[in-house]
């Protein structure tokens, strides 16, 4: 066991040589008249009381005014039409013919095959009283740039919104990052201590002194003072790590406002970026201006292993990862005399089980069940009902485990790969997911009456 713990420690400390910072508050659909969570929790300082930010509605109004897509259908049957295009495909027609067909209204669109390069396709779109042509691609999703869409209609909708806003508000967008709300009442205030709490330790100590009388009271007061000083000293020793935000492109469901500039995040998908460690939501261009002050939240940091060290210690407010302390403590308590310590490898299955145990400790059991319950609600009704019925059956199977030797863990091993393997994963990726599949099915069986 000591060897296994050492291997875990070795895996974790090796990450210190591989740290790379990614320069790039949970998803909160925010209607135009409401305030995001980060601002609601802005701290109270001595001079000023909290004031909610004024979310700027200009870009939101422009999105509402953007032209709507109008598909121009082909009345003739077109040979060799790609199966992923519909009646908007007109075959091999010229730009002039496309321009004439689209002149009916703003937002009109069609797809044509290029005459110069047969086999390539062009999206022709009417905007600003002229026809714009975009090379169109398909790899399972439709795209003309970075964004990928399930349908041509969604692609055109997003394109019209973007064209309209960037045409009408080009100068406004260029100045969005000037005078941001971020520094005043946004995310940075989360770390400030509220004024009404600053003197609480002093008041508490005074109260203790009044109640403490006699020799026992003096001893208790001294002990309390020593403990308090030791705690303060330990807190002072925790380094003030600087951490860049780990921004990832994100699709927001419902209206969202940038938590840096307070402007609306426009578009149909991939409207901005979200910090994977703290949940901060901002425009892509605003992300370049955000200070390196990420405060990781355990709601977003779900793992101990394969996690950036600075992210981990800031999320847990510790000087170093707890797994390092625990492994070293365990090895020094009962493993120092083990033959081959730091040389003989541990068993990979045991190592993976212990790593998973550490990762599970990150999430509260109730939070774990709530997350699983929310995921189940996303299933189509037929899938959810079939899964519920099967889990109820497997729960009854476990009631006879003394005879059949099939507990929830064993059933998870059997049914995990069948129920949870994604058809998109290759064989190696699926193999790596087996342990997690077992764990999920085991939870479904044990908590069938709660989750469904």
């Amino acid at each position: 066991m000591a060897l296994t713990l050492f291997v875990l420690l070795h895996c974790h400390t090796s990450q210190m040589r591989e740290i790379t910072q990614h320069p790039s508050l949970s998803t909160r659909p925010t209607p135009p008249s409401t305030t995001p969570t980060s601002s609601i929790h802005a701290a109270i300082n001595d001079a000023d009381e909290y004031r909610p930010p004024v979310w700027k509605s200009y870009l939101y109004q422009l999105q509402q005014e953007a032209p709507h897509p109008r598909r121009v259908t082909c009345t003739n049957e077109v040979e060799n039409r790609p199966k992923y295009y519909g009646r908007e495909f007109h075959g091999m027609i010229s730009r002039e013919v496309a321009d004439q067909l689209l002149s009916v209204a703003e937002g009109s669109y069609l797809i044509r095959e290029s005459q110069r390069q047969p086999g390539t396709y062009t999206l022709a779109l009417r905007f600003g009283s002229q026809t714009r042509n975009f090379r169109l691609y398909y790899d399972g999703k439709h795209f003309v740039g970075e964004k990928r869409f399930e349908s041509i209609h969604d692609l055109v909708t997003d394109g019209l919104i973007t064209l309209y806003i960037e045409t009408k508000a080009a100068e406004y967008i260029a100045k969005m990052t000037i005078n941001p709300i971020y520094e005043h009442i946004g995310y940075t205030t989360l770390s400030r201590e509220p004024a009404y709490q600053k003197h609480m330790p002093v008041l508490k100590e005074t109260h203790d002194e009044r109640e403490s009388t006699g020799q026992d009271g003096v001893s208790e007061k001294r002990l309390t003072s020593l403990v308090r000083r030791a705690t303060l000293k330990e807190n002072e020793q925790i380094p003030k790590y600087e951490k860049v935000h780990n921004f990832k492109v994100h699709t927001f469901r419902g209206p969202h406002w940038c938590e840096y500039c307070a402007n609306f995040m426009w578009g149909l998908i991939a409207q901005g970026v979200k910090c994977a460690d703290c949940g901060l939501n901002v425009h892509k261009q605003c992300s370049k201006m955000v200070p390196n002050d990420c405060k990781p939240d355990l709601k977003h940091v779900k793992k101990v292993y394969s996690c950036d060290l600075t992210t981990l210690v800031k999320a847990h407010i510790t000087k170093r990862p707890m797994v390092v302390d625990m492994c070293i403590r365990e090895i020094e308590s009962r493993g120092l005399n083990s033959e081959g310590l730091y040389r003989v490898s541990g068993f990979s299955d045991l190592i993976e089980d212990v790593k998973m145990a550490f990762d599970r400790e990150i999430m509260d059991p109730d939070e774990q069940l709530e997350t699983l319950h929310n995921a189940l609600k996303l299933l189509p009704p037929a899938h959810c009902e079939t899964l519920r019925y099967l889990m109820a059956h497997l729960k009854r199977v476990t009631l006879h485990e003394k005879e059949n030797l099939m507990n929830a863990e064993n059933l998870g091993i059997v049914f995990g790969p069948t129920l949870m393997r994604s058809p998109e994963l290759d064989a190696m990726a699926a193999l790596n997911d087996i342990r997690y599949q077992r764990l999920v099915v085991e939870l479904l069986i044990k908590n069938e009456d709660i989750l469904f």
Side-chain angles (χ1 to χ4, degrees):
M1 183 62 186
L3 294 177
T4 297
L5 290 171
F6 162 67
V7 175
L8 286 170
L9 175 60
H10 179 72
C11 292
H12 203 285
T13 53
S14 66
Q15 294 174 11
M16 288 188 287
R17 296 190 296 271
E18 301 172 0
I19 294 177
T20 55
Q21 297 288 5
H22 303 280
S24 336
L25 310 156
S26 59
T27 301
R28 298 176 291 275
T30 310
S33 60
T34 60
T35 304
T37 307
S38 65
S39 296
I40 290 177
H41 293 292
I44 302 171
N45 55 45
D46 290 328
D48 302 309
E49 292 186 357
Y50 166 74
R51 295 190 306 275
V54 177
W55 301 107
K56 304 167 186 177
S57 61
Y58 176 53
L59 298 180
Y60 177 80
Q61 293 170 353
L62 287 182
Q63 175 159 314
Q64 300 302 103
E65 298 169 3
H68 296 285
R70 296 167 60 97
R71 183 174 73 159
V72 176
T73 59
C74 182
T75 56
N76 302 322
E77 197 62 41
V78 181
E79 294 183 2
N80 301 322
R81 180 176 65 192
K83 61 182 180 180
Y84 39 84
Y85 296 141
R87 303 291 296 184
E88 70 276 1
F89 183 73
H90 287 249
M92 192 176 290
I93 61 174
S94 65
R95 289 191 173 210
E96 292 74 23
V97 172
D99 186 55
Q100 185 177 359
L101 291 171
L102 296 174
S103 62
V104 292
E106 283 282 285
S108 299
Y109 71 94
L110 59 82
I111 298 172
R112 62 183 180 85
E113 185 175 3
S114 173
Q115 292 181 323
R116 295 180 180 178
Q117 296 178 295
T120 61
Y121 305 99
T122 299
L123 172 66
L125 175 65
R126 191 73 172 182
F127 179 81
S129 301
Q130 61 180 343
T131 300
R132 305 195 179 202
N133 295 279
F134 303 90
R135 176 68 62 86
L136 188 59
Y137 302 91
Y138 181 81
D139 63 355
K141 292 188 177 181
H142 304 278
F143 62 100
V144 296
E146 293 181 357
K147 297 184 180 182
R148 283 165 164 73
F149 300 84
E150 297 289 346
S151 68
I152 293 294
H153 182 273
D154 288 349
L155 186 155
V156 174
T157 301
D158 185 86
L160 288 170
I161 290 171
T162 302
L163 286 170
Y164 189 79
I165 289 179
E166 292 183 354
T167 299
K168 293 283 186 178
E171 186 175 351
Y172 181 88
I173 292 172
K175 297 179 180 179
M176 279 196 314
T177 56
I178 299 175
N179 298 323
I181 65 163
Y182 185 87
E183 295 292 343
H184 304 293
I185 49 181
Y187 174 83
T188 53
T189 58
L190 288 173
S191 62
R192 296 178 190 167
E193 182 183 8
Y196 65 85
Q197 290 183 355
K198 287 186 177 180
H199 303 291
M200 285 181 65
V202 177
L203 293 174
K204 182 67 170 62
E205 185 171 0
T206 304
H207 183 65
D208 289 343
E209 289 175 2
R210 289 177 180 175
E211 289 187 351
S212 302
T213 56
Q215 186 64 34
D216 291 340
V218 172
S219 299
E220 181 180 350
K221 182 177 70 174
R222 288 176 179 173
L223 180 61
T224 303
S225 178
L226 287 171
V227 170
R228 184 178 292 110
R229 285 202 301 271
T231 303
L232 290 173
K233 185 177 180 180
E234 177 70 15
N235 290 338
E236 288 173 358
Q237 291 175 354
I238 298 178
K240 303 298 182 183
Y241 295 107
E242 181 180 89
K243 182 186 180 311
V244 299
H245 289 273
N246 183 15
F247 285 120
K248 307 288 186 185
V249 175
H250 190 77
T251 294
F252 299 95
R253 304 300 179 189
H256 268 71
W257 271 254
C258 175
E259 295 177 35
Y260 182 80
C261 71
N263 281 288
F264 179 67
M265 303 171 78
W266 67 89
L268 203 61
I269 68 168
Q271 303 95 328
V273 293
K274 179 186 186 75
C275 179
D277 297 332
C278 73
L280 183 70
N281 305 322
V282 295
H283 291 110
K284 187 175 181 180
Q285 69 184 80
C286 291
S287 67
K288 302 172 184 177
M289 310 298 293
V290 176
N292 297 336
D293 58 357
C294 178
K295 300 171 181 63
D297 190 329
L298 288 177
K299 291 180 180 179
H300 304 282
V301 180
K302 301 293 186 182
K303 292 186 176 183
V304 171
Y305 289 88
S306 302
C307 179
D308 170 67
L309 286 181
T310 302
T311 300
L312 196 61
V313 297
K314 285 181 73 68
H316 288 272
I317 317 177
T318 57
K319 292 186 292 184
R320 57 190 168 269
M322 63 176 182
V323 64
V324 175
D325 287 358
M326 295 177 70
C327 288
I328 288 179
R329 190 184 308 122
E330 197 69 19
I331 290 173
E332 293 184 351
S333 67
R334 58 190 181 89
L336 292 177
N337 295 323
S338 297
E339 182 180 349
L341 180 63
Y342 295 125
R343 176 174 58 83
V344 180
S345 300
F347 294 104
S348 59
D349 288 347
L350 290 176
I351 293 171
E352 288 301 319
D353 287 342
V354 176
K355 287 170 67 175
M356 285 181 61
F358 274 114
D359 286 340
R360 285 201 299 270
E361 288 297 321
I362 291 293
M363 185 183 293
D364 179 77
D366 292 334
E367 183 184 350
Q368 199 172 48
L369 291 178
E370 182 180 356
T371 302
L372 192 53
H373 177 66
N374 291 333
L376 290 172
K377 290 192 294 186
L378 299 176
L379 289 174
H383 292 241
C384 189
E385 172 56 23
T386 304
L387 184 62
R388 183 202 65 78
Y389 191 76
L390 178 59
M391 291 304 108
H393 162 66
L394 296 180
K395 182 80 171 281
R396 292 191 292 271
V397 171
T398 63
L399 298 178
H400 302 272
E401 66 173 286
K402 288 184 179 179
E403 293 79 21
N404 58 34
L405 303 180
M406 294 301 290
N407 56 21
E409 181 179 356
N410 290 337
L411 290 170
I413 294 172
V414 174
F415 283 89
T418 303
L419 294 175
M420 303 201 60
R421 180 179 176 183
S422 171
E424 299 176 357
L425 292 180
D426 57 36
M428 284 303 299
L431 191 62
N432 292 331
D433 279 352
I434 285 179
R435 286 186 174 81
Y436 298 101
Q437 294 165 357
R438 170 186 62 77
L439 177 62
V440 172
V441 173
E442 183 181 341
L443 286 174
L444 289 172
I445 296 172
K446 288 182 176 179
N447 302 281
E448 169 268 332
D449 53 336
I450 299 174
L451 293 171
F452 294 95

